[in-house]
Amino acid sequence: MTSVMGGDVEPGTGDDVSIERPDTESDRPVQLPRRWRLSDPLISAGATAGLLVVMAVVAEVGARSGWWRASTLPATSTMLSGVAGLMDDPQFWSDLTRSGLEIGLAILFGSTAGLLSGLLFWKLPTLGRIFEPYLVSFYAVPMVLFYPLAIVVVGINASSVVILATIMATIPVALNTTVGLNGIRPVYLKLSRSLQCKPHQMLFSIALPAAAPFIVAGLRLGVVYALIGSIAMEFVTAQAGLGYRIRYYYEIFDNDRMFAYILVVLVLSVLLTALLAGLERLVVKGRTS
């Protein structure tokens, strides 16, 4: 040991002095500069935009160069001009309003019914084990098969479309909600019971946040199936809507307007999917931050 003045100190004399060396810059961890990189959402959005541009260019060049007949797939510029022409057509806005209402109601009813069913299957596991095989089976059955039954019950109107689209949207939400709730760590539930949380506190503060990624994934599928169900049911026997108008222009061989309506449906589906994908990223980010 060395004294403060630099002299030697004999051990065991009680005059031992320990001196703590201050941290120097050489002892501190070196912080490397962070490398800038694109975030995953930007990469995904850029890749999607690039793919759409490539497809649009191929469609334009192929139709103009005669790689296929324009009646099979019109040029991109033709489809875009057709969409621009729809903006001044009152019939288009009527069809869009009808389909938008059906899709919105199917999403609302399907999400609500799916969440409630998932919660019920979670609280009553026996009931969940009984009904889960039937839900999975319905998941694989085309709902269009039940359209005649819906017509008999409620008639040929928007209600039959909403009912079948709601069923299609309910199933993935219910299944994903059940999986998410069943996957909650038991320690969370034990902690809530030890804190004497009330049932609604445990549900909204612990159970639903813990299962949020699965629930949001189920909602994404529910939105997609609500859109598919509504357009498909309109295509079969409806008297209005985007799906009906696509079939109508197909039957009278008006390919330009038919593809314009198809392009509108594609844009609508992309917007809904992007909206739900952004919501899912926010939920996951909130759980990990």
Side-chain angles (χ1 to χ4, degrees), residues 209-269:
F214 288 91
I215 295 176
V216 175
L219 290 175
R220 288 185 63 182
L221 291 174
V223 169
V224 171
Y225 276 94
L227 176 63
I228 294 174
S230 299
I231 299 300
M233 298 307 143
E234 290 176 349
F235 190 88
V236 176
T237 56
Q239 301 300 315
L242 298 177
Y244 163 76
R245 201 61 58 183
I246 292 173
R247 188 197 69 187
Y248 173 77
Y249 286 125
Y250 168 77
E251 291 177 346
I252 65 174
F253 302 101
D254 190 347
N255 287 345
D256 291 344
R257 280 187 169 266
M258 181 189 72
F259 277 101
Y261 268 85
I262 291 175
L263 188 58
V264 169
V265 174
L266 290 177
V267 171
L268 181 61
S269 64

Coordinates of all heavy atoms in Angstrom, one line a residue, residues 209-269:
P209 N -54.0 -6.5 -23.7 CA -52.7 -6.1 -24.2 C -51.7 -7.2 -24.4 O -50.9 -7.1 -25.4 CB -52.2 -5.2 -23.0 CG -53.5 -4.7 -22.3 CD -54.4 -5.9 -22.5
A210 N -51.7 -8.2 -23.6 CA -50.8 -9.4 -23.8 C -51.1 -10.1 -25.1 O -50.2 -10.6 -25.8 CB -50.9 -10.3 -22.6
A211 N -52.4 -10.2 -25.5 CA -52.8 -10.9 -26.7 C -52.9 -10.0 -27.9 O -53.4 -10.5 -28.9 CB -54.1 -11.7 -26.4
A212 N -52.6 -8.7 -27.7 CA -52.8 -7.7 -28.8 C -52.2 -8.1 -30.1 O -52.9 -8.0 -31.2 CB -52.3 -6.4 -28.4
P213 N -51.0 -8.6 -30.2 CA -50.4 -9.0 -31.6 C -51.3 -10.0 -32.3 O -51.5 -9.9 -33.5 CB -49.0 -9.5 -31.3 CG -48.7 -8.9 -30.0 CD -49.9 -8.8 -29.2
F214 N -51.7 -11.0 -31.6 CA -52.6 -12.1 -32.2 C -53.9 -11.5 -32.6 O -54.5 -11.8 -33.7 CB -52.8 -13.2 -31.3 CG -51.6 -14.1 -31.1 CD1 -50.7 -13.8 -30.0 CD2 -51.3 -15.1 -31.9 CE1 -49.5 -14.6 -29.9 CE2 -50.2 -15.9 -31.7 CZ -49.3 -15.6 -30.7
I215 N -54.5 -10.6 -31.8 CA -55.8 -10.0 -32.1 C -55.7 -9.1 -33.3 O -56.6 -9.2 -34.2 CB -56.3 -9.2 -30.8 CG1 -56.5 -10.2 -29.7 CG2 -57.6 -8.5 -31.2 CD1 -57.0 -9.5 -28.4
V216 N -54.7 -8.3 -33.4 CA -54.5 -7.4 -34.5 C -54.3 -8.2 -35.8 O -54.8 -7.9 -36.9 CB -53.4 -6.4 -34.3 CG1 -53.1 -5.6 -35.5 CG2 -53.7 -5.5 -33.1
A217 N -53.5 -9.3 -35.7 CA -53.3 -10.2 -36.9 C -54.6 -10.8 -37.3 O -54.9 -10.9 -38.5 CB -52.3 -11.3 -36.5
G218 N -55.5 -11.2 -36.3 CA -56.8 -11.7 -36.7 C -57.7 -10.6 -37.3 O -58.4 -10.9 -38.2
L219 N -57.6 -9.4 -36.8 CA -58.3 -8.3 -37.4 C -57.9 -8.0 -38.9 O -58.7 -7.7 -39.7 CB -58.2 -7.0 -36.6 CG -58.8 -7.0 -35.2 CD1 -58.5 -5.8 -34.4 CD2 -60.3 -7.2 -35.3
R220 N -56.6 -8.1 -39.1 CA -56.1 -8.0 -40.5 C -56.8 -9.0 -41.4 O -57.3 -8.7 -42.5 CB -54.6 -8.1 -40.6 CG -53.9 -6.9 -40.0 CD -52.4 -7.1 -40.2 NE -52.0 -7.1 -41.6 CZ -50.8 -7.2 -42.1 NH1 -49.8 -7.4 -41.2 NH2 -50.5 -7.2 -43.4
L221 N -56.8 -10.3 -41.0 CA -57.4 -11.3 -41.8 C -58.9 -11.0 -41.9 O -59.5 -11.3 -42.9 CB -57.2 -12.7 -41.2 CG -55.7 -13.2 -41.2 CD1 -55.6 -14.5 -40.4 CD2 -55.3 -13.4 -42.7
G222 N -59.5 -10.6 -40.8 CA -61.0 -10.3 -40.8 C -61.3 -9.2 -41.8 O -62.3 -9.3 -42.6
V223 N -60.5 -8.2 -41.9 CA -60.8 -7.1 -42.9 C -60.6 -7.7 -44.3 O -61.5 -7.3 -45.2 CB -59.8 -6.0 -42.6 CG1 -59.8 -5.0 -43.8 CG2 -60.1 -5.2 -41.3
V224 N -59.6 -8.5 -44.5 CA -59.4 -9.0 -45.9 C -60.6 -9.9 -46.3 O -61.1 -9.8 -47.4 CB -58.1 -9.8 -45.9 CG1 -58.0 -10.6 -47.2 CG2 -56.9 -8.9 -45.8
Y225 N -61.0 -10.8 -45.3 CA -62.1 -11.7 -45.7 C -63.5 -10.9 -45.8 O -64.4 -11.3 -46.5 CB -62.3 -12.8 -44.6 CG -61.3 -13.9 -44.9 CD1 -60.1 -14.0 -44.3 CD2 -61.7 -14.9 -45.7 CE1 -59.2 -15.0 -44.6 CE2 -60.8 -16.0 -46.0 CZ -59.6 -16.0 -45.4 OH -58.7 -17.1 -45.7
A226 N -63.6 -9.8 -45.0 CA -64.8 -9.0 -45.2 C -64.9 -8.4 -46.6 O -65.9 -8.3 -47.3 CB -64.9 -7.9 -44.1
L227 N -63.7 -7.9 -47.1 CA -63.6 -7.3 -48.4 C -63.9 -8.4 -49.5 O -64.7 -8.2 -50.4 CB -62.3 -6.7 -48.6 CG -62.0 -6.2 -50.0 CD1 -62.9 -5.0 -50.4 CD2 -60.5 -5.7 -50.1
I228 N -63.2 -9.6 -49.3 CA -63.4 -10.7 -50.3 C -64.9 -11.1 -50.3 O -65.5 -11.3 -51.4 CB -62.5 -11.8 -50.0 CG1 -61.0 -11.4 -50.2 CG2 -62.8 -13.1 -50.8 CD1 -60.0 -12.5 -49.7
G229 N -65.5 -11.3 -49.1 CA -66.8 -11.8 -49.0 C -67.8 -10.8 -49.6 O -68.7 -11.2 -50.4
S230 N -67.7 -9.5 -49.4 CA -68.6 -8.5 -49.9 C -68.5 -8.5 -51.4 O -69.6 -8.5 -52.1 CB -68.3 -7.2 -49.3 OG -68.5 -7.2 -47.9
I231 N -67.3 -8.4 -52.0 CA -67.2 -8.3 -53.4 C -67.7 -9.6 -54.1 O -68.3 -9.6 -55.1 CB -65.7 -8.0 -53.8 CG1 -65.3 -6.6 -53.2 CG2 -65.6 -7.9 -55.3 CD1 -66.1 -5.5 -53.6
A232 N -67.3 -10.7 -53.5 CA -67.7 -12.0 -54.1 C -69.2 -12.2 -54.1 O -69.8 -12.7 -55.1 CB -67.0 -13.2 -53.3
M233 N -69.9 -11.8 -53.0 CA -71.3 -12.0 -52.9 C -72.0 -11.0 -53.9 O -73.0 -11.4 -54.5 CB -71.8 -11.7 -51.5 CG -71.3 -12.7 -50.5 SD -71.5 -14.4 -50.9 CE -70.0 -15.1 -50.3
E234 N -71.5 -9.8 -54.0 CA -72.0 -8.9 -55.0 C -71.9 -9.5 -56.4 O -72.8 -9.3 -57.3 CB -71.4 -7.6 -54.9 CG -71.7 -6.8 -53.6 CD -70.9 -5.5 -53.6 OE1 -70.0 -5.3 -54.4 OE2 -71.2 -4.7 -52.7
F235 N -70.8 -10.1 -56.7 CA -70.5 -10.6 -58.0 C -71.5 -11.7 -58.4 O -71.8 -11.9 -59.5 CB -69.1 -11.2 -58.0 CG -68.6 -11.6 -59.4 CD1 -68.0 -10.6 -60.2 CD2 -68.8 -12.8 -59.9 CE1 -67.6 -11.0 -61.5 CE2 -68.3 -13.2 -61.2 CZ -67.7 -12.2 -62.0
V236 N -72.0 -12.5 -57.4 CA -72.8 -13.6 -57.7 C -74.3 -13.2 -58.1 O -74.7 -13.4 -59.2 CB -72.9 -14.6 -56.5 CG1 -73.8 -15.7 -56.7 CG2 -71.5 -15.1 -56.2
T237 N -75.0 -12.5 -57.2 CA -76.4 -12.2 -57.4 C -76.8 -10.8 -57.0 O -78.0 -10.5 -57.1 CB -77.3 -13.2 -56.7 OG1 -77.0 -13.3 -55.3 CG2 -77.1 -14.6 -57.3
A238 N -75.9 -10.0 -56.5 CA -76.4 -8.7 -56.1 C -76.8 -7.8 -57.2 O -76.5 -8.1 -58.4 CB -75.3 -8.0 -55.3
Q239 N -77.5 -6.8 -56.9 CA -78.0 -5.8 -58.0 C -77.3 -4.5 -58.0 O -77.7 -3.6 -58.7 CB -79.5 -5.6 -57.8 CG -80.3 -6.9 -57.8 CD -80.2 -7.6 -59.2 OE1 -80.3 -7.0 -60.2 NE2 -80.0 -8.9 -59.1
A240 N -76.3 -4.3 -57.1 CA -75.5 -3.1 -57.1 C -74.2 -3.4 -56.3 O -74.0 -4.5 -55.7 CB -76.3 -2.0 -56.3
G241 N -73.3 -2.5 -56.4 CA -72.0 -2.6 -55.8 C -70.9 -2.8 -56.8 O -71.1 -3.1 -58.0
L242 N -69.6 -2.8 -56.3 CA -68.5 -2.9 -57.1 C -68.4 -4.3 -57.8 O -68.1 -4.4 -59.0 CB -67.2 -2.6 -56.3 CG -67.1 -1.2 -55.7 CD1 -65.8 -1.1 -54.9 CD2 -67.1 -0.2 -56.8
G243 N -68.7 -5.3 -57.0 CA -68.6 -6.7 -57.5 C -69.7 -6.9 -58.6 O -69.4 -7.5 -59.6
Y244 N -70.9 -6.4 -58.3 CA -72.0 -6.6 -59.3 C -71.6 -5.8 -60.6 O -71.8 -6.3 -61.7 CB -73.3 -6.0 -58.8 CG -74.3 -5.7 -59.9 CD1 -75.0 -6.8 -60.5 CD2 -74.5 -4.4 -60.3 CE1 -75.9 -6.5 -61.5 CE2 -75.5 -4.2 -61.3 CZ -76.2 -5.2 -61.9 OH -77.1 -5.0 -62.9
R245 N -71.0 -4.7 -60.5 CA -70.7 -3.9 -61.7 C -69.6 -4.6 -62.5 O -69.6 -4.5 -63.7 CB -70.3 -2.5 -61.3 CG -70.4 -1.4 -62.4 CD -71.8 -1.3 -62.9 NE -72.7 -1.0 -61.8 CZ -74.0 -0.8 -62.0 NH1 -74.6 -1.1 -63.2 NH2 -74.8 -0.5 -61.0
I246 N -68.6 -5.2 -61.8 CA -67.6 -6.0 -62.5 C -68.2 -7.1 -63.4 O -67.9 -7.3 -64.5 CB -66.5 -6.5 -61.5 CG1 -65.7 -5.4 -60.9 CG2 -65.6 -7.5 -62.2 CD1 -64.8 -5.8 -59.8
R247 N -69.1 -7.8 -62.8 CA -69.8 -8.9 -63.5 C -70.6 -8.3 -64.7 O -70.6 -8.9 -65.7 CB -70.7 -9.7 -62.5 CG -71.3 -10.9 -63.2 CD -72.5 -11.4 -62.4 NE -73.6 -10.5 -62.5 CZ -74.7 -10.6 -61.8 NH1 -74.9 -11.6 -60.9 NH2 -75.7 -9.8 -62.0
Y248 N -71.3 -7.2 -64.4 CA -72.1 -6.6 -65.4 C -71.3 -6.2 -66.7 O -71.7 -6.5 -67.8 CB -72.9 -5.4 -64.9 CG -73.6 -4.6 -65.9 CD1 -74.8 -5.0 -66.4 CD2 -73.1 -3.4 -66.4 CE1 -75.5 -4.3 -67.3 CE2 -73.8 -2.6 -67.3 CZ -75.0 -3.1 -67.8 OH -75.7 -2.4 -68.7
Y249 N -70.2 -5.5 -66.5 CA -69.3 -5.1 -67.6 C -68.7 -6.3 -68.2 O -68.4 -6.3 -69.4 CB -68.3 -4.1 -67.1 CG -68.9 -2.7 -66.9 CD1 -68.7 -2.1 -65.6 CD2 -69.7 -2.1 -67.8 CE1 -69.3 -0.8 -65.4 CE2 -70.2 -0.8 -67.6 CZ -70.0 -0.2 -66.3 OH -70.6 1.0 -66.1
Y250 N -68.4 -7.3 -67.5 CA -67.9 -8.6 -68.1 C -68.9 -9.2 -69.0 O -68.5 -9.7 -70.1 CB -67.5 -9.5 -67.0 CG -67.2 -10.9 -67.5 CD1 -66.0 -11.2 -68.1 CD2 -68.1 -12.0 -67.3 CE1 -65.7 -12.5 -68.5 CE2 -67.9 -13.2 -67.8 CZ -66.6 -13.5 -68.4 OH -66.4 -14.8 -68.8
E251 N -70.2 -9.2 -68.6 CA -71.2 -9.8 -69.5 C -71.5 -9.0 -70.7 O -71.9 -9.6 -71.7 CB -72.5 -10.0 -68.6 CG -72.3 -11.0 -67.5 CD -73.6 -11.1 -66.7 OE1 -74.4 -10.2 -66.8 OE2 -73.7 -12.1 -65.9
I252 N -71.3 -7.7 -70.7 CA -71.5 -6.9 -71.9 C -70.2 -6.6 -72.7 O -70.2 -5.8 -73.6 CB -72.3 -5.6 -71.6 CG1 -71.4 -4.7 -70.7 CG2 -73.6 -5.9 -70.9 CD1 -72.0 -3.3 -70.5
F253 N -69.1 -7.3 -72.3 CA -67.8 -7.2 -73.0 C -67.3 -5.8 -73.0 O -66.6 -5.4 -73.9 CB -68.0 -7.7 -74.4 CG -68.5 -9.1 -74.5 CD1 -69.8 -9.3 -74.8 CD2 -67.6 -10.2 -74.3 CE1 -70.3 -10.6 -74.9 CE2 -68.1 -11.5 -74.3 CZ -69.4 -11.7 -74.7
D254 N -67.5 -5.0 -71.9 CA -66.9 -3.7 -71.8 C -65.7 -3.9 -70.8 O -65.7 -3.6 -69.6 CB -67.9 -2.7 -71.2 CG -67.4 -1.3 -71.2 OD1 -66.2 -1.1 -71.5 OD2 -68.2 -0.4 -71.0
N255 N -64.6 -4.3 -71.5 CA -63.4 -4.7 -70.7 C -62.7 -3.4 -70.0 O -62.2 -3.5 -68.9 CB -62.4 -5.4 -71.5 CG -62.8 -6.8 -71.9 OD1 -63.7 -7.3 -71.2 ND2 -62.2 -7.4 -72.9
D256 N -62.8 -2.3 -70.7 CA -62.1 -1.1 -70.2 C -62.7 -0.7 -68.8 O -62.0 -0.5 -67.8 CB -62.2 0.0 -71.2 CG -61.3 -0.2 -72.4 OD1 -60.5 -1.1 -72.3 OD2 -61.6 0.5 -73.4
R257 N -64.0 -0.6 -68.8 CA -64.7 -0.3 -67.5 C -64.6 -1.4 -66.5 O -64.5 -1.2 -65.3 CB -66.2 0.1 -67.7 CG -66.4 1.5 -68.3 CD -67.9 1.8 -68.4 NE -68.0 3.2 -68.6 CZ -68.2 4.2 -67.7 NH1 -68.2 3.8 -66.4 NH2 -68.3 5.4 -68.0
M258 N -64.6 -2.6 -66.9 CA -64.5 -3.8 -66.0 C -63.1 -3.7 -65.3 O -63.1 -3.8 -64.1 CB -64.6 -5.1 -66.8 CG -64.5 -6.3 -65.9 SD -64.4 -7.9 -66.8 CE -62.7 -7.8 -67.5
F259 N -62.1 -3.5 -66.1 CA -60.7 -3.4 -65.5 C -60.6 -2.2 -64.6 O -59.8 -2.1 -63.6 CB -59.7 -3.5 -66.5 CG -59.3 -4.9 -66.9 CD1 -59.8 -5.4 -68.1 CD2 -58.5 -5.7 -66.1 CE1 -59.5 -6.7 -68.5 CE2 -58.2 -7.0 -66.5 CZ -58.7 -7.5 -67.7
A260 N -61.3 -1.1 -65.0 CA -61.3 0.1 -64.1 C -61.9 -0.2 -62.8 O -61.3 0.2 -61.7 CB -62.0 1.2 -64.8
Y261 N -63.0 -0.9 -62.7 CA -63.6 -1.3 -61.4 C -62.6 -2.3 -60.7 O -62.5 -2.2 -59.5 CB -64.9 -1.9 -61.7 CG -66.1 -0.9 -61.6 CD1 -66.4 -0.2 -62.7 CD2 -66.8 -0.8 -60.5 CE1 -67.5 0.7 -62.7 CE2 -67.9 0.1 -60.4 CZ -68.2 0.9 -61.5 OH -69.2 1.8 -61.5
I262 N -62.0 -3.2 -61.4 CA -61.1 -4.1 -60.7 C -59.9 -3.3 -60.1 O -59.5 -3.6 -59.0 CB -60.6 -5.1 -61.8 CG1 -61.7 -6.1 -62.2 CG2 -59.4 -5.9 -61.2 CD1 -61.3 -7.1 -63.2
L263 N -59.4 -2.3 -60.8 CA -58.4 -1.5 -60.3 C -58.8 -0.8 -59.0 O -58.0 -0.7 -58.1 CB -57.9 -0.5 -61.3 CG -56.6 0.3 -61.0 CD1 -55.4 -0.7 -60.7 CD2 -56.2 1.2 -62.1
V264 N -60.0 -0.3 -59.0 CA -60.5 0.4 -57.8 C -60.6 -0.6 -56.6 O -60.2 -0.2 -55.5 CB -61.9 1.0 -58.1 CG1 -62.6 1.4 -56.8 CG2 -61.8 2.1 -59.1
V265 N -61.0 -1.8 -56.8 CA -61.1 -2.8 -55.8 C -59.7 -3.1 -55.3 O -59.4 -3.3 -54.1 CB -61.8 -4.1 -56.3 CG1 -61.7 -5.2 -55.2 CG2 -63.3 -3.8 -56.6
L266 N -58.7 -3.2 -56.2 CA -57.3 -3.5 -55.8 C -56.8 -2.4 -54.9 O -56.1 -2.6 -53.9 CB -56.5 -3.7 -57.0 CG -56.7 -5.0 -57.8 CD1 -55.8 -5.0 -59.1 CD2 -56.4 -6.2 -57.0
V267 N -57.0 -1.1 -55.3 CA -56.6 0.0 -54.6 C -57.2 0.0 -53.2 O -56.6 0.3 -52.1 CB -56.9 1.3 -55.3 CG1 -56.6 2.5 -54.4 CG2 -56.0 1.4 -56.6
L268 N -58.5 -0.3 -53.1 CA -59.2 -0.3 -51.8 C -58.6 -1.4 -50.9 O -58.4 -1.2 -49.7 CB -60.7 -0.6 -52.1 CG -61.6 -0.7 -50.8 CD1 -61.6 0.7 -50.1 CD2 -63.0 -1.0 -51.2
S269 N -58.3 -2.6 -51.5 CA -57.7 -3.6 -50.7 C -56.3 -3.3 -50.2 O -56.0 -3.5 -49.0 CB -57.7 -4.9 -51.5 OG -56.8 -4.8 -52.6

